[in-house]
Amino acid sequence: MAQTASTQLGSNAIAHHDGVASLPAPAPALHHLDNSDEPETKEDDDLTFHDLPSFPADVSTAPLLRLNLARLLNHDAAEEAKLWDACQNVGFFYLDLRGGTSSKRDSVHSDAAALDGDTLLHDAAELFELGREVFELSTEEKQSYDLKDQGSYYGYKGLGQGVVDAKGTRDANEFYNVSKDDVLDIGERLPAPEVLQKESNRELLAAFCRRSHAVVAVMLGVLNEKLGLPEGRLAELHRLEVASGDQVRWVRSPPKPTADAHTMSLGEHTDFGSVTVLFNRLGGLQILPPDSEEWQYVKPLRGHAVVNLGDAMVKFTASVLRSNIHRVVNPPGEQASHTRMSLVYFARPEDEVKLKVLEGSQVIDAKSKELNGGGVLQEEEDVTAKEWILRRAMGRRAGGDWKASEGTEAGRSKLY
């Protein structure tokens, strides 16, 4: 599909893709892609989106580790060590989904029928097209599905209806949130545009939720083992069939004037939940690496998702794991004239799960003692996942309580 300044969508629109105050110990140097990360064929080695302007070579990019789903499914020890490294020290990594398929006999990591990286990439491509249809609806119709006044973060948020800082500076994106519980018929069916009520589209969204959650389960399985938690502990907190704040989000950010090239489309923050799986094609996402004052772009890679941890994993592990600060600005270079579109799956703990340090892990216990100087543990906030997510999400809406939107970035973000 031809690309214009007003769209980045098309059949290939897949990425390849938005308090604990103490932070982990200083991280080791980050790692650029090395030869061991490279695909085996020349065809697979092409990680560029050829129907878009090239990502510029002269901007600072985050040297994230690049993991391979197929190797994780094969219990590759080196790959699992890389995952542990990325989750402790940066909280962000690339995940190559190509060829990542579990045999039906291997149900160790997740639902074998849902665990298919290639099909997930295909689902993402179709959902980019569906997102285009949603955003092409009239502003009046889209606004009718803003459920903020009902105390919900599902549905539509218009341009400038969120804030990016404590001063109330308005954001520069629109998004639409679809509840996992809705499309999997776990909870009530929410008001939605006709295009999202179409059964085939609900089935597509449900399949995307299942496949994304299956990938998340792989990550949780490895982290559970590395943390030394009782078997299946993290999985027990993230059951797909139980009510939670899991959601699919489309985000659309139109081009901004050149003078506003570094205006934030989405303010700096940490994610609210456990694991985020992001698909996009254009630059704009930036992270603030550990022990750095320089924002760095995350370059999209074809065939890959960008995965990051959220606040829940910090709270569960007493900061053994990292939820890193990130933001979204205008795409760099020639990409700036294109509308940026993202597709996200947010995996969050079940609604009634308390966001407290988990018991049964020597790794977590040691970190807790370190943070408390070897003394008595400080009392933790008594908050459920549902309360935490709602508080943070609504605090970022225009007119909301900005202080209530604080996450584990408090004390490090330049906004606090």
Side-chain angles (χ1 to χ4, degrees), residues 192-315:
E194 184 177 347
V195 65
L196 292 182
Q197 295 190 48
K198 187 177 179 181
E199 200 57 36
S200 61
N201 288 336
R202 285 179 59 84
E203 291 173 0
L204 173 60
L205 284 160
F208 180 75
C209 287
R210 292 190 186 97
R211 297 191 211 284
S212 297
H213 198 275
V215 170
V216 169
V218 174
M219 310 296 112
L220 295 180
V222 174
L223 294 176
N224 197 96
E225 182 178 355
K226 295 293 185 182
L227 289 164
L229 285 165
E231 185 175 358
R233 184 70 181 106
L234 289 176
E236 292 171 356
L237 305 176
H238 299 86
R239 293 170 294 178
L240 185 66
E241 67 278 9
V242 176
S244 71
D246 291 18
Q247 64 178 241
V248 179
R249 174 182 291 178
W250 291 285
V251 186
R252 178 183 176 275
S253 303
K256 293 177 281 295
T258 303
D260 297 329
H262 290 92
T263 297
M264 285 185 283
S265 171
L266 183 64
E268 54 190 85
H269 65 287
T270 53
D271 283 348
F272 308 163
S274 297
V275 182
T276 300
V277 182
L278 170 71
F279 297 86
N280 68 358
R281 306 181 70 222
L282 287 172
L285 171 65
Q286 294 183 324
I287 71 168
L288 189 63
D291 303 316
S292 173
E293 294 296 319
E294 179 187 11
W295 287 97
Q296 297 181 333
Y297 283 97
V298 175
K299 178 180 178 180
L301 301 179
R302 187 171 64 86
H304 293 62
V306 175
V307 180
N308 65 277
L309 302 187
D311 290 343
M313 301 303 286
V314 178
K315 287 179 168 289

Side-chain angles (χ1 to χ4, degrees), residues 19-22 315 318 355-357 367-382:
V20 179
S22 300
K315 287 179 168 289
L355 296 187
K356 291 192 173 185
V357 173
K367 188 65 175 180
S368 295
K369 291 179 181 179
E370 176 188 330
L371 294 178
N372 289 277
V376 178
L377 296 183
Q378 297 177 0
E379 184 175 352
E380 299 178 85
E381 180 183 14
D382 186 16

Side-chain angles (χ1 to χ4, degrees), residues 84-349:
W84 180 238
D85 181 357
C87 291
Q88 281 188 287
N89 298 316
V90 187
F92 270 81
F93 56 90
Y94 294 108
L95 183 64
D96 188 346
L97 296 169
R98 298 167 297 175
T101 304
S102 176
S103 69
K104 292 185 177 181
R105 290 178 297 175
D106 178 12
S107 58
V108 172
H109 292 297
S110 182
D111 177 1
L115 193 41
D116 186 336
D118 291 312
T119 304
L120 177 56
L121 291 172
H122 182 269
D123 289 346
E126 293 194 1
L127 282 174
F128 267 92
E129 290 296 321
L130 179 56
R132 174 183 58 80
E133 294 183 53
V134 172
F135 289 128
E136 285 181 349
L137 298 172
S138 70
T139 300
E140 181 180 8
E141 180 175 1
K142 288 184 292 187
Q143 289 284 11
S144 70
Y145 298 107
D146 186 339
L147 306 181
K148 172 188 174 184
D149 291 342
Q150 300 177 35
S152 173
Y153 48 78
Y154 295 121
Y156 179 71
K157 182 209 69 72
L159 284 166
Q161 295 303 303
V163 296
V164 301
D165 56 34
K167 295 181 294 185
T169 305
R170 299 301 180 103
D171 63 16
N173 70 76
E174 58 179 334
F175 62 64
Y176 199 102
N177 292 332
V178 176
S179 165
K180 175 266 293 182
D181 294 351
D182 182 339
V183 295
L184 294 186
D185 296 318
I186 296 169
E188 63 176 326
R189 184 172 290 202
L190 301 172
E194 184 177 347
V195 65
L196 292 182
Q197 295 190 48
K198 187 177 179 181
E199 200 57 36
S200 61
N201 288 336
R202 285 179 59 84
E203 291 173 0
L204 173 60
L205 284 160
F208 180 75
C209 287
R210 292 190 186 97
R211 297 191 211 284
S212 297
H213 198 275
V215 170
V216 169
V218 174
M219 310 296 112
L220 295 180
V222 174
L223 294 176
N224 197 96
E225 182 178 355
K226 295 293 185 182
L227 289 164
L229 285 165
E231 185 175 358
R233 184 70 181 106
L234 289 176
E236 292 171 356
L237 305 176
H238 299 86
R239 293 170 294 178
L240 185 66
E241 67 278 9
V242 176
S244 71
D246 291 18
Q247 64 178 241
V248 179
R249 174 182 291 178
W250 291 285
V251 186
R252 178 183 176 275
S253 303
K256 293 177 281 295
T258 303
D260 297 329
H262 290 92
T263 297
M264 285 185 283
S265 171
L266 183 64
E268 54 190 85
H269 65 287
T270 53
D271 283 348
F272 308 163
S274 297
V275 182
T276 300
V277 182
L278 170 71
F279 297 86
N280 68 358
R281 306 181 70 222
L282 287 172
L285 171 65
Q286 294 183 324
I287 71 168
L288 189 63
D291 303 316
S292 173
E293 294 296 319
E294 179 187 11
W295 287 97
Q296 297 181 333
Y297 283 97
V298 175
K299 178 180 178 180
L301 301 179
R302 187 171 64 86
H304 293 62
V306 175
V307 180
N308 65 277
L309 302 187
D311 290 343
M313 301 303 286
V314 178
K315 287 179 168 289
F316 288 151
T317 66
S319 296
V320 171
L321 301 180
R322 186 182 188 90
S323 176
N324 205 73
I325 301 171
H326 53 288
R327 67 181 187 181
V328 178
V329 298
N330 223 27
E334 295 181 5
Q335 294 190 349
S337 62
H338 289 245
T339 292
R340 185 179 187 273
M341 183 94 162
S342 298
L343 172 69
V344 196
Y345 180 74
F346 293 106
R348 291 157 172 169

